[in-house]
Amino acid sequence: MTVDHVVVRPGELALKGRNRKGFEDCLLRNLRAVLRPLGVERVERRWGRFYVGPVNDARRIAAAAARVFGVVHTSPALRCANEPAALSAAAAETVRRWLAARPGTGDVPFKVRVKRADKAYPEPSMDCARRLGGELQAAFPRLVARLDAPELLLECEVREEGSFVFVERLEGPGGLPVGSEGKVLCLLSGGIDSPVAAWLMMKRGCRVELVHFDAQPFTGPGSLEKVRALARVLDGWQGDTRLWVVPFAPVQVATKDLPQPGYRTVLYRRFMTRIAERLAGRRRCQALVTGDSLGQVASQTLENLAAVEGARGRLPLLRPLLTFDKVETIRLAERVGTYEVSIRPFEDCCTLFQPDHPVTRGKAEVAARLEAMVDVDALVEAGLAAAREEDVARVALG
Ligand code: ATP
Ligand code: MG
């Protein structure tokens, strides 16, 4: 008898010992959380594999599991006993379904690949592949054997827990399961970069909380809407996402008449960093994350990055996009699903009071001298006190 299942292959198998156990425990929890809303009650865990089944909608479940960090591939599969006749039946049923979805009479170059991990199964991999290939060609005249670049690659994995026959590998994001590396706080603007930075941190196993500095009333409500939509997309990759919104207008008002307007952006970033660090402390986040990329804009020179860091306390400030070209970031943003939202027109808090000539070689000492003219502590405290949490799950996509 054959039954529909989903095979989930975790990555980072080079992890050893305790690390590996932690990785798999965490991945199992995350898989369950993602699949529970789809009606999945049980995920089976075996050496280097997870299995979901029996299921009715294997493809949908395979697609959902392929969005979980730590997963490299998933496959909708037929599961059967480790017996030659059972493998033949599962292979024939798999090919029948594949051809049914592709009506026509043209030749289909195909290949069978068998991987026998269960050495108790008597037939060596090559013999089994050859036998199945012959049987399938006899049963389905459209199939023609082709070893390189086949259109249809039928794979059989014979393992101790059973045999799995499949024709599809959906690519997962790889990386480490969210939560296996602690928690960080990402400064999320409405731009292209910071959502990608957040996603990359999730990919390395961090749970990511988000903070946005909101310039209303100097901007309309549109930019906050946009940030909410971005948070919603990011939530699709980790679940349970928290988005904090901090009113930023008081900082903008307090700094707008200071001398050296070229320093405004640096000052904004320093205030954001200070408030974010305090919030991170409250939320037990272990690092701050931004979407800075070296040299991309005037505010992202090494000097200005250093001038912003001057305002930082003791938390690490991580910049996963530091060395990315814009095209690389855009390509990732498309994959993440945030690009379409990020390119909607909006005003961000820093374009509004943008000086004509922003400094490109800012100095922390100069920024500190300017800050001495305002009450930094009071502004930071007020920002922190006004921070409120948005309900990401309630936000409609669109
Ligand atoms: P992005 O596309 O993420 O906006 P960017 O290349 O436009 O990045 P900047 O606008 O200079 O660069 O911002 C640099 C980083 O500072 C952003 O990636 C983000 O992490 C943070 N940042 C900027 N503005 C805000 C904001 N209003 N709220 C929260 N974080 C912000
Ligand atoms: Mg920006």
Side-chain angles (χ1 to χ4, degrees), residues 189-191 269 346 348:
S189 70
R269 294 280 175 275
F346 82 114
D348 81 23

Side-chain angles (χ1 to χ4, degrees), residues 38-101:
L38 301 179
V40 170
E41 295 300 330
R42 214 171 77 88
V43 178
E44 183 182 337
R45 170 191 186 159
R46 292 302 180 107
W47 180 251
R49 291 281 188 282
F50 296 91
Y51 302 108
V52 187
V55 293
N56 294 322
D57 45 0
R59 188 146 206 302
R60 181 152 160 262
I61 287 167
R67 280 176 67 102
V68 176
F69 288 105
V71 169
V72 286
H73 285 117
T74 66
S75 298
L78 285 181
R79 182 178 194 158
C80 64
N82 295 358
E83 290 161 7
L87 275 172
S88 298
E93 173 61 12
T94 303
V95 171
R96 188 191 63 72
R97 290 185 194 178
W98 191 90
L99 287 172

Side-chain angles (χ1 to χ4, degrees), residues 150-162:
E151 186 184 343
L152 170 61
L153 174 64
L154 182 101
E155 299 190 66
C156 302
E157 291 187 347
V158 183
R159 297 168 59 92
E160 279 171 26
E161 59 269 24

